[in-house]
């Protein structure tokens, strides 16, 4: 009996650690962000990213942000947009499309067109979303009638973390592309300025896009300096991909009748 208890105790603790894990982001005192499954302990926090666990002492963390359920976060983001922010609604719709939340994407696009009926981008995306919803509805109807097998269980995909997305956006952002929205951590911007012998007050007085461009173009910027640059919207190459290529993939290759179907 004692041997049995000794076996089950560590197993129970291990299961509990998985049960208590929640998806989120930890932010270190150097401004780095790590996204994964989070388990909080008394004096440390464990973040598991793609199966690799990293332990952070609590005193090295400035914040822990847990992810909300997608519909809840979507509703909050949509409610926070000013009525006239059509671009924000389109960006929100693209985010929903990336997460295969087509009904929510439709809601955001209809809201965008209610504000600007002449938005060609919103109208084009809405046509695509409505078409995909019709295809999905037909596939469900065929499965209900036994005319199409149920989709085979699929392996959970490895999704890009917010850190991955930022790294891609930084690599794709080209000089002269002033269409992006940028935020720079002021503390790290100050440290970068000091490392370059630039007066911090003068550097911080510049527009964020200029601060970001100088940090990323500098051969002396550290990885921490670079990670302080947060690009909040897609650079031109990614925007072009979303506009011209991604709809073709989602509506063709990734549809239920092709690579997205049970007989892909």
């Amino acid at each position: 009996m004692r041997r049995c208890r000794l076996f089950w105790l560590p197993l129970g603790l291990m299961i509990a650690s998985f049960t208590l894990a929640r998806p989120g982001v930890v932010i270190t005192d150097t401004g780095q962000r790590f996204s994964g499954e989070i388990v909080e302990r008394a004096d440390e926090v464990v973040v598991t990213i793609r199966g690799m666990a990293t332990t952070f002492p609590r005193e090295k963390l400035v914040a822990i942000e847990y992810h909300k359920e997608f519909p809840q976060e979507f509703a909050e983001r949509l409610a926070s947009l000013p009525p006239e922010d059509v671009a924000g609604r389109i960006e929100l719709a693209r985010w929903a499309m990336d997460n295969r939340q087509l009904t929510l994407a439709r809601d955001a696009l209809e809201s965008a067109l209610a504000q600007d009926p002449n938005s060609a981008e919103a109208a084009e995306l809405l046509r695509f979303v409505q078409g995909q919803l019709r295809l999905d509805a037909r596939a469900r109807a065929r499965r209900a009638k036994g005319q199409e097998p149920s989709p085979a269980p699929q392996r959970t995909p490895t999704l890009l973390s917010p850190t991955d997305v930022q790294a891609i956006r930084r690599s794709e952002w080209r000089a002269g592309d002033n269409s992006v929205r940028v935020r720079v951590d002021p503390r790290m911007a100050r440290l970068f300025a000091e490392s370059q012998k630039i007066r911090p007050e003068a550097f911080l007085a510049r527009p964020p896009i200029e601060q970001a461009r100088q940090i990323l173009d500098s051969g002396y910027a550290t990885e921490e300096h670079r990670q302080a640059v947060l690009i909040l919207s897609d650079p031109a190459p990614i925007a072009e991909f979303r506009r011209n290529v991604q709809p073709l993939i989602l509506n063709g290759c990734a549809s239920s009748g092709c690579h997205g179907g049970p007989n892909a």
Side-chain angles (χ1 to χ4, degrees):
M1 180 67 70
R2 174 179 170 79
R3 188 175 301 170
C4 183
R5 284 199 300 268
L6 290 175
F7 170 79
W8 284 108
L9 179 59
L11 180 60
L13 291 174
M14 182 173 67
I15 293 173
S17 69
F18 283 110
T19 303
L20 295 174
R22 295 172 57 193
V25 178
V26 298
I27 305 173
T28 69
D29 56 2
T30 60
Q32 292 179 291
R33 300 170 65 91
F34 297 89
S35 178
E37 296 292 322
I38 299 174
V39 175
E40 295 192 52
R41 297 174 181 165
D43 55 355
E44 63 186 17
V45 176
V46 181
V47 183
T48 302
I49 306 171
R50 300 190 185 93
M52 299 294 293
T54 304
T55 301
F56 298 90
R58 279 193 179 271
E59 64 268 17
K60 295 295 184 180
L61 300 179
V62 297
I64 302 174
E65 301 173 353
Y66 287 105
H67 297 327
K68 300 174 183 176
E69 293 294 327
F70 190 94
Q72 178 186 357
E73 186 171 354
F74 177 91
E76 291 178 0
R77 289 193 186 187
L78 183 59
S80 69
L81 293 175
E84 67 280 1
D85 190 355
V86 173
R89 283 165 169 77
I90 293 174
E91 185 176 341
L92 192 61
R94 291 189 183 280
W95 177 58
M97 292 167 65
D98 290 344
N99 287 274
R100 301 296 296 173
Q101 300 285 333
L102 297 181
T103 302
L104 297 179
R106 180 191 61 193
D107 294 344
L109 293 168
E110 288 177 346
S111 177
L113 287 170
Q115 298 299 323
D116 180 9
N118 297 318
S119 173
E121 184 178 7
E124 179 183 354
L125 285 175
L126 182 59
R127 282 194 296 272
F128 161 71
V129 169
Q130 290 172 333
Q132 188 62 49
L133 286 171
R134 285 193 295 270
L135 287 173
D136 292 346
R138 290 171 190 163
R140 286 194 300 271
R142 287 195 297 269
R143 286 196 295 270
K145 294 178 180 178
Q147 297 174 353
E148 182 176 312
S150 298
Q154 295 183 354
R155 184 175 58 184
T156 302
T158 300
L159 302 178
L160 294 178
S161 69
T163 302
D164 296 331
V165 172
Q166 284 300 318
I168 294 169
R169 283 178 169 175
R170 285 193 292 268
S171 69
E172 293 290 346
W173 183 31
R174 302 291 183 263
D177 178 6
N178 297 322
S179 64
V180 298
R181 293 185 290 111
V182 178
R183 185 170 71 239
V184 182
D185 182 335
R187 187 176 67 86
M188 291 304 298
R190 177 178 292 275
L191 292 176
F192 169 79
E194 292 173 349
S195 72
Q196 302 302 302
K197 310 300 182 187
I198 303 172
R199 191 162 61 88
E201 290 74 16
F203 186 74
L204 291 171
R206 299 179 187 175
I209 198 166
E210 292 184 12
Q211 297 178 35
R213 193 72 264 169
Q214 183 164 351
I215 291 173
L216 296 181
D217 289 345
S218 172
Y220 299 97
T222 66
E223 186 58 28
E224 289 185 353
H225 293 147
R226 295 175 62 84
Q227 290 185 0
V229 176
L230 297 180
I231 303 179
L232 307 178
S233 60
D234 288 335
I238 300 178
E240 182 179 358
F241 170 84
R242 287 186 189 274
R243 184 170 57 249
N244 298 327
V245 180
Q246 187 180 45
L248 299 176
I249 294 174
L250 292 177
N251 204 28
C253 310
S255 67
S256 58
C258 195
H259 291 284
N263 300 313

Coordinates of all heavy atoms in Angstrom, one line a residue, residues 135-203:
L135 N -20.1 26.9 -48.2 CA -19.4 25.6 -48.5 C -19.4 24.8 -47.2 O -19.7 23.5 -47.3 CB -18.0 25.9 -48.9 CG -17.8 26.4 -50.4 CD1 -16.4 26.7 -50.6 CD2 -18.3 25.4 -51.4
D136 N -19.1 25.4 -46.1 CA -19.1 24.6 -44.8 C -20.5 24.1 -44.5 O -20.7 23.0 -44.0 CB -18.6 25.5 -43.7 CG -17.1 25.8 -43.8 OD1 -16.5 25.2 -44.7 OD2 -16.6 26.7 -43.1
A137 N -21.5 24.9 -44.7 CA -22.9 24.5 -44.4 C -23.3 23.3 -45.3 O -24.0 22.3 -44.9 CB -23.9 25.6 -44.6
R138 N -22.9 23.3 -46.6 CA -23.2 22.2 -47.5 C -22.5 20.9 -47.1 O -23.1 19.8 -47.1 CB -22.8 22.6 -48.9 CG -23.7 23.7 -49.6 CD -23.1 24.1 -50.9 NE -23.7 25.3 -51.4 CZ -23.2 26.1 -52.3 NH1 -22.0 25.8 -52.9 NH2 -23.8 27.2 -52.8
A139 N -21.3 21.1 -46.6 CA -20.5 19.9 -46.2 C -21.2 19.3 -45.0 O -21.3 18.1 -44.9 CB -19.1 20.3 -45.9
R140 N -21.6 20.1 -44.0 CA -22.3 19.6 -42.8 C -23.6 18.9 -43.2 O -24.0 17.9 -42.7 CB -22.6 20.8 -41.9 CG -21.4 21.3 -41.1 CD -21.8 22.1 -39.9 NE -22.5 23.3 -40.3 CZ -22.0 24.5 -40.7 NH1 -20.7 24.6 -40.7 NH2 -22.8 25.5 -41.0
A141 N -24.3 19.5 -44.2 CA -25.6 18.9 -44.6 C -25.4 17.5 -45.3 O -26.1 16.6 -45.0 CB -26.3 19.8 -45.6
R142 N -24.3 17.4 -46.1 CA -24.0 16.1 -46.7 C -23.6 15.1 -45.7 O -24.0 13.9 -45.8 CB -22.9 16.3 -47.7 CG -23.3 17.0 -49.0 CD -22.3 16.9 -50.1 NE -21.0 17.5 -49.8 CZ -20.6 18.7 -50.0 NH1 -21.5 19.5 -50.7 NH2 -19.4 19.2 -49.7
R143 N -22.8 15.5 -44.7 CA -22.5 14.6 -43.6 C -23.7 14.1 -42.8 O -23.8 13.0 -42.4 CB -21.4 15.2 -42.7 CG -20.1 15.3 -43.3 CD -19.0 15.6 -42.2 NE -19.2 16.9 -41.5 CZ -18.7 18.0 -42.0 NH1 -17.9 18.0 -43.1 NH2 -18.9 19.1 -41.3
A144 N -24.6 15.1 -42.6 CA -25.8 14.7 -41.8 C -26.7 13.7 -42.6 O -27.3 12.8 -42.0 CB -26.7 16.0 -41.6
K145 N -26.6 13.7 -43.9 CA -27.4 12.8 -44.8 C -26.6 11.5 -45.1 O -27.1 10.6 -45.8 CB -27.8 13.4 -46.1 CG -28.7 14.6 -45.9 CD -29.0 15.2 -47.3 CE -30.0 16.4 -47.2 NZ -30.2 17.1 -48.5
G146 N -25.4 11.4 -44.5 CA -24.6 10.3 -44.8 C -23.9 10.2 -46.1 O -23.4 9.2 -46.6
Q147 N -24.0 11.4 -46.8 CA -23.4 11.4 -48.2 C -21.9 11.7 -48.2 O -21.2 11.6 -49.2 CB -24.1 12.5 -49.0 CG -25.6 12.2 -49.2 CD -26.3 13.3 -49.9 OE1 -25.8 14.4 -50.1 NE2 -27.6 13.1 -50.3
E148 N -21.4 12.1 -47.0 CA -20.0 12.5 -46.9 C -19.5 12.1 -45.6 O -20.1 12.3 -44.6 CB -19.8 14.0 -47.1 CG -18.3 14.5 -47.1 CD -18.2 15.9 -47.3 OE1 -18.8 16.4 -48.3 OE2 -17.5 16.6 -46.6
P149 N -18.4 11.3 -45.5 CA -17.9 10.9 -44.2 C -17.5 12.0 -43.3 O -17.1 13.1 -43.8 CB -16.6 10.0 -44.6 CG -16.2 10.6 -45.9 CD -17.5 11.0 -46.6
S150 N -17.6 11.8 -42.0 CA -17.1 12.8 -41.1 C -15.7 13.1 -41.2 O -14.9 12.1 -41.5 CB -17.5 12.4 -39.7 OG -18.9 12.3 -39.5
P151 N -15.2 14.3 -41.0 CA -13.8 14.5 -41.1 C -13.0 13.7 -40.1 O -13.4 13.4 -39.0 CB -13.7 16.0 -40.7 CG -15.0 16.6 -40.9 CD -16.0 15.5 -40.6
A152 N -11.8 13.2 -40.6 CA -11.0 12.4 -39.8 C -10.4 13.3 -38.7 O -10.2 14.5 -38.9 CB -9.9 11.8 -40.6
P153 N -10.1 12.7 -37.5 CA -9.5 13.5 -36.4 C -8.2 14.1 -36.9 O -7.4 13.4 -37.6 CB -9.3 12.5 -35.3 CG -10.2 11.4 -35.6 CD -10.4 11.3 -37.1
Q154 N -8.0 15.3 -36.7 CA -6.8 16.0 -37.2 C -5.8 16.3 -36.0 O -6.3 16.6 -34.9 CB -7.1 17.3 -37.9 CG -7.9 17.0 -39.2 CD -8.2 18.3 -39.9 OE1 -7.9 19.4 -39.5 NE2 -8.8 18.2 -41.1
R155 N -4.6 16.3 -36.3 CA -3.6 16.6 -35.3 C -3.7 18.1 -35.0 O -3.9 18.9 -35.9 CB -2.2 16.3 -35.8 CG -1.1 16.6 -34.8 CD 0.2 16.1 -35.3 NE 0.6 16.7 -36.6 CZ 1.6 16.5 -37.3 NH1 2.4 15.5 -37.0 NH2 1.8 17.1 -38.4
T156 N -3.6 18.5 -33.7 CA -3.7 19.9 -33.4 C -2.5 20.6 -34.0 O -1.3 20.3 -33.8 CB -3.6 20.1 -31.8 OG1 -4.7 19.4 -31.2 CG2 -3.7 21.6 -31.5
P157 N -2.8 21.7 -34.8 CA -1.7 22.4 -35.5 C -0.9 23.2 -34.5 O -1.3 23.6 -33.5 CB -2.4 23.3 -36.5 CG -3.8 23.6 -35.8 CD -4.1 22.3 -35.1
T158 N 0.4 23.4 -34.9 CA 1.3 24.2 -34.1 C 1.1 25.7 -34.6 O 1.4 26.0 -35.8 CB 2.8 23.8 -34.3 OG1 2.9 22.5 -33.9 CG2 3.7 24.7 -33.5
L159 N 0.6 26.5 -33.8 CA 0.2 27.9 -34.2 C 1.4 28.8 -33.8 O 2.2 28.6 -32.9 CB -1.0 28.3 -33.5 CG -2.3 27.5 -33.7 CD1 -3.4 28.0 -32.9 CD2 -2.6 27.5 -35.2
L160 N 1.5 29.9 -34.6 CA 2.5 30.9 -34.3 C 2.1 31.6 -33.0 O 1.0 32.0 -32.8 CB 2.6 31.9 -35.4 CG 3.1 31.4 -36.8 CD1 3.1 32.5 -37.8 CD2 4.5 30.9 -36.6
S161 N 3.1 31.8 -32.1 CA 2.9 32.6 -30.9 C 3.0 34.1 -31.3 O 3.5 34.5 -32.3 CB 4.0 32.3 -29.9 OG 5.3 32.8 -30.3
P162 N 2.5 35.0 -30.4 CA 2.6 36.4 -30.6 C 4.1 36.8 -30.8 O 4.4 37.7 -31.6 CB 2.1 37.0 -29.3 CG 1.1 36.0 -28.8 CD 1.7 34.7 -29.2
T163 N 5.0 36.1 -30.1 CA 6.5 36.4 -30.3 C 6.9 36.1 -31.7 O 7.6 36.8 -32.4 CB 7.3 35.7 -29.3 OG1 6.9 36.0 -28.0 CG2 8.8 36.0 -29.5
D164 N 6.4 34.9 -32.3 CA 6.7 34.5 -33.6 C 6.2 35.5 -34.6 O 6.8 35.9 -35.6 CB 6.1 33.2 -33.9 CG 6.7 32.0 -33.1 OD1 7.8 32.1 -32.7 OD2 5.9 31.1 -32.8
V165 N 4.9 36.0 -34.4 CA 4.3 36.9 -35.3 C 5.1 38.2 -35.4 O 5.3 38.8 -36.4 CB 2.8 37.2 -34.9 CG1 2.2 38.3 -35.7 CG2 2.0 35.9 -35.1
Q166 N 5.5 38.7 -34.2 CA 6.3 39.9 -34.2 C 7.6 39.8 -34.9 O 8.0 40.7 -35.6 CB 6.5 40.4 -32.7 CG 5.3 41.0 -32.0 CD 4.8 42.2 -32.7 OE1 5.6 43.1 -33.2 NE2 3.5 42.3 -32.9
A167 N 8.3 38.6 -34.7 CA 9.5 38.4 -35.4 C 9.3 38.4 -36.9 O 10.1 39.0 -37.7 CB 10.1 37.1 -35.0
I168 N 8.2 37.9 -37.4 CA 7.9 37.8 -38.9 C 7.6 39.3 -39.3 O 8.1 39.7 -40.4 CB 6.8 36.9 -39.2 CG1 7.2 35.4 -38.9 CG2 6.3 37.0 -40.6 CD1 6.0 34.5 -38.9
R169 N 6.8 40.0 -38.6 CA 6.5 41.3 -39.0 C 7.7 42.2 -39.0 O 7.9 43.0 -40.0 CB 5.4 41.9 -38.1 CG 4.0 41.4 -38.3 CD 3.0 42.0 -37.3 NE 1.7 41.7 -37.7 CZ 0.6 42.0 -36.9 NH1 0.7 42.6 -35.8 NH2 -0.6 41.7 -37.4
R170 N 8.6 42.1 -38.0 CA 9.8 42.9 -38.0 C 10.7 42.6 -39.3 O 11.3 43.5 -39.9 CB 10.6 42.7 -36.7 CG 10.0 43.4 -35.5 CD 11.0 43.4 -34.4 NE 11.2 42.1 -33.8 CZ 10.5 41.6 -32.8 NH1 9.5 42.3 -32.2 NH2 10.8 40.4 -32.4
S171 N 10.8 41.3 -39.6 CA 11.6 40.9 -40.8 C 11.0 41.4 -42.1 O 11.8 41.6 -43.1 CB 11.8 39.4 -40.8 OG 10.6 38.7 -41.1
E172 N 9.7 41.5 -42.2 CA 9.0 41.9 -43.4 C 8.8 43.4 -43.6 O 8.5 43.9 -44.6 CB 7.7 41.2 -43.5 CG 7.7 39.7 -43.7 CD 8.3 39.3 -45.0 OE1 8.4 40.1 -45.9 OE2 8.7 38.1 -45.2
W173 N 9.0 44.1 -42.5 CA 8.8 45.6 -42.6 C 10.0 46.3 -43.3 O 11.1 46.1 -42.8 CB 8.7 46.1 -41.1 CG 8.3 47.6 -41.1 CD1 7.6 48.3 -42.0 CD2 8.7 48.5 -40.1 NE1 7.6 49.6 -41.7 CE2 8.2 49.8 -40.5 CE3 9.4 48.4 -38.9 CZ2 8.4 50.9 -39.7 CZ3 9.6 49.6 -38.1 CH2 9.1 50.8 -38.5
R174 N 9.7 47.0 -44.3 CA 10.8 47.6 -45.1 C 10.8 49.1 -44.9 O 9.8 49.7 -44.6 CB 10.5 47.3 -46.6 CG 10.5 45.9 -47.0 CD 11.8 45.2 -46.9 NE 11.8 43.8 -47.3 CZ 11.6 42.8 -46.5 NH1 11.5 43.0 -45.2 NH2 11.6 41.6 -47.0
A175 N 12.0 49.7 -45.0 CA 12.1 51.1 -44.9 C 11.2 51.8 -45.9 O 11.1 51.4 -47.1 CB 13.6 51.5 -45.1
G176 N 10.6 52.9 -45.5 CA 9.7 53.6 -46.4 C 8.2 53.2 -46.3 O 7.3 53.9 -46.8
D177 N 8.0 52.0 -45.7 CA 6.6 51.6 -45.5 C 6.1 52.2 -44.2 O 6.3 51.7 -43.1 CB 6.6 50.0 -45.4 CG 5.1 49.5 -45.1 OD1 4.2 50.3 -45.1 OD2 5.0 48.3 -44.9
N178 N 5.3 53.3 -44.4 CA 4.8 54.1 -43.2 C 3.4 53.7 -42.9 O 2.7 54.5 -42.2 CB 5.0 55.6 -43.4 CG 6.4 56.0 -43.6 OD1 7.3 55.4 -42.9 ND2 6.7 56.9 -44.5
S179 N 2.9 52.6 -43.5 CA 1.5 52.3 -43.3 C 1.3 51.5 -42.0 O 0.1 51.3 -41.5 CB 1.0 51.4 -44.5 OG 1.7 50.2 -44.6
V180 N 2.4 51.0 -41.4 CA 2.2 50.1 -40.2 C 2.0 51.0 -39.0 O 2.4 52.2 -38.9 CB 3.4 49.2 -40.0 CG1 3.6 48.3 -41.2 CG2 4.7 50.1 -39.8
R181 N 1.3 50.4 -38.0 CA 1.2 51.0 -36.7 C 2.2 50.3 -35.8 O 2.3 49.1 -35.7 CB -0.2 50.8 -36.1 CG -1.3 51.5 -37.0 CD -2.7 51.5 -36.4 NE -3.2 50.1 -36.5 CZ -3.4 49.3 -35.5 NH1 -3.1 49.7 -34.2 NH2 -4.0 48.1 -35.7
V182 N 2.9 51.2 -35.0 CA 4.1 50.7 -34.3 C 4.0 51.2 -32.8 O 3.5 52.3 -32.6 CB 5.4 51.2 -34.9 CG1 6.6 50.7 -34.1 CG2 5.5 50.6 -36.3
R183 N 4.4 50.4 -31.9 CA 4.6 50.8 -30.5 C 6.0 50.3 -30.0 O 6.4 49.2 -30.3 CB 3.5 50.2 -29.6 CG 3.6 50.7 -28.2 CD 2.4 50.3 -27.3 NE 2.4 48.9 -27.0 CZ 1.4 48.0 -27.4 NH1 0.4 48.5 -28.0 NH2 1.5 46.8 -27.0
V184 N 6.7 51.2 -29.3 CA 8.0 50.9 -28.8 C 8.0 51.0 -27.3 O 7.5 52.1 -26.8 CB 9.1 51.9 -29.4 CG1 10.4 51.5 -28.9 CG2 9.0 51.8 -30.9
D185 N 8.5 50.0 -26.6 CA 8.6 50.1 -25.2 C 9.5 51.2 -24.8 O 10.6 51.2 -25.1 CB 9.1 48.7 -24.7 CG 9.2 48.7 -23.1 OD1 9.3 49.7 -22.5 OD2 9.2 47.6 -22.6
P186 N 8.9 52.3 -24.1 CA 9.7 53.4 -23.8 C 11.0 53.1 -22.9 O 12.0 53.8 -23.1 CB 8.8 54.4 -23.1 CG 7.7 53.5 -22.6 CD 7.6 52.4 -23.6
R187 N 10.9 52.1 -22.0 CA 12.0 51.8 -21.2 C 13.2 51.3 -22.0 O 14.3 51.7 -21.9 CB 11.6 50.8 -20.1 CG 12.7 50.6 -19.1 CD 12.2 49.6 -18.0 NE 11.9 48.3 -18.5 CZ 12.9 47.4 -18.6 NH1 14.1 47.6 -18.2 NH2 12.6 46.2 -19.1
M188 N 12.8 50.3 -22.9 CA 13.9 49.8 -23.8 C 14.4 50.8 -24.8 O 15.5 50.8 -25.2 CB 13.4 48.5 -24.5 CG 13.1 47.4 -23.6 SD 14.6 46.9 -22.6 CE 15.7 46.4 -23.9
A189 N 13.5 51.7 -25.3 CA 13.9 52.8 -26.2 C 14.9 53.7 -25.5 O 15.9 54.1 -26.1 CB 12.7 53.6 -26.6
R190 N 14.7 53.9 -24.2 CA 15.6 54.8 -23.5 C 17.0 54.1 -23.4 O 18.1 54.7 -23.6 CB 15.1 55.1 -22.1 CG 16.0 55.9 -21.2 CD 15.3 56.2 -19.9 NE 14.2 57.1 -20.0 CZ 14.4 58.5 -20.1 NH1 15.6 59.0 -19.9 NH2 13.4 59.3 -20.2
L191 N 17.0 52.8 -23.1 CA 18.2 52.0 -22.9 C 18.9 51.9 -24.3 O 20.2 52.0 -24.3 CB 17.9 50.6 -22.4 CG 17.4 50.5 -21.0 CD1 17.0 49.0 -20.7 CD2 18.4 51.0 -20.0
F192 N 18.2 51.8 -25.4 CA 18.8 51.8 -26.7 C 19.5 53.1 -27.0 O 20.7 53.2 -27.4 CB 17.8 51.5 -27.8 CG 18.3 51.7 -29.2 CD1 19.1 50.8 -29.8 CD2 18.0 52.9 -29.9 CE1 19.6 51.0 -31.1 CE2 18.5 53.1 -31.2 CZ 19.3 52.1 -31.8
A193 N 18.8 54.2 -26.7 CA 19.3 55.6 -26.9 C 20.6 55.8 -26.1 O 21.6 56.3 -26.6 CB 18.3 56.6 -26.6
E194 N 20.6 55.4 -24.9 CA 21.8 55.5 -24.0 C 23.0 54.7 -24.6 O 24.1 55.1 -24.5 CB 21.5 55.1 -22.6 CG 20.5 56.1 -21.9 CD 20.0 55.5 -20.5 OE1 20.3 54.4 -20.2 OE2 19.4 56.3 -19.8
S195 N 22.7 53.5 -25.1 CA 23.7 52.6 -25.6 C 24.3 53.2 -26.9 O 25.5 52.9 -27.2 CB 23.2 51.2 -25.9 OG 22.3 51.2 -27.0
Q196 N 23.6 54.1 -27.6 CA 24.0 54.7 -28.8 C 24.5 56.1 -28.6 O 24.7 56.9 -29.6 CB 22.9 54.7 -29.9 CG 22.4 53.3 -30.2 CD 23.5 52.4 -30.7 OE1 24.2 52.7 -31.7 NE2 23.7 51.3 -30.0
K197 N 24.6 56.5 -27.3 CA 25.1 57.9 -27.0 C 24.1 58.9 -27.5 O 24.6 60.0 -28.0 CB 26.5 58.1 -27.5 CG 27.5 57.1 -27.1 CD 27.6 56.9 -25.6 CE 28.7 55.9 -25.3 NZ 28.8 55.6 -23.8
I198 N 22.8 58.6 -27.6 CA 21.8 59.6 -28.0 C 21.1 60.1 -26.8 O 20.8 59.3 -25.9 CB 20.8 58.9 -29.0 CG1 21.5 58.3 -30.2 CG2 19.7 59.9 -29.4 CD1 20.6 57.4 -31.1
R199 N 20.8 61.4 -26.8 CA 20.1 61.9 -25.6 C 18.7 61.2 -25.6 O 17.9 61.4 -26.5 CB 19.9 63.4 -25.8 CG 19.4 64.1 -24.5 CD 19.8 65.6 -24.5 NE 19.1 66.2 -25.6 CZ 17.9 66.7 -25.6 NH1 17.2 66.7 -24.5 NH2 17.3 67.3 -26.7
P200 N 18.4 60.5 -24.5 CA 17.1 59.7 -24.4 C 15.9 60.6 -24.6 O 14.9 60.2 -25.3 CB 17.1 59.1 -23.0 CG 18.6 59.0 -22.7 CD 19.2 60.2 -23.3
E201 N 15.8 61.8 -24.1 CA 14.7 62.7 -24.2 C 14.4 63.0 -25.7 O 13.3 63.1 -26.1 CB 14.8 63.9 -23.4 CG 14.8 63.7 -21.9 CD 16.0 63.1 -21.3 OE1 17.1 63.1 -22.1 OE2 16.0 62.5 -20.2
A202 N 15.5 63.3 -26.4 CA 15.3 63.6 -27.8 C 14.9 62.4 -28.6 O 14.0 62.5 -29.5 CB 16.7 64.1 -28.4
F203 N 15.4 61.2 -28.3 CA 15.0 60.0 -29.0 C 13.5 59.7 -28.7 O 12.8 59.3 -29.7 CB 15.9 58.8 -28.6 CG 15.7 57.6 -29.4 CD1 16.1 57.4 -30.7 CD2 15.0 56.5 -28.8 CE1 15.9 56.3 -31.4 CE2 14.8 55.3 -29.5 CZ 15.2 55.2 -30.8

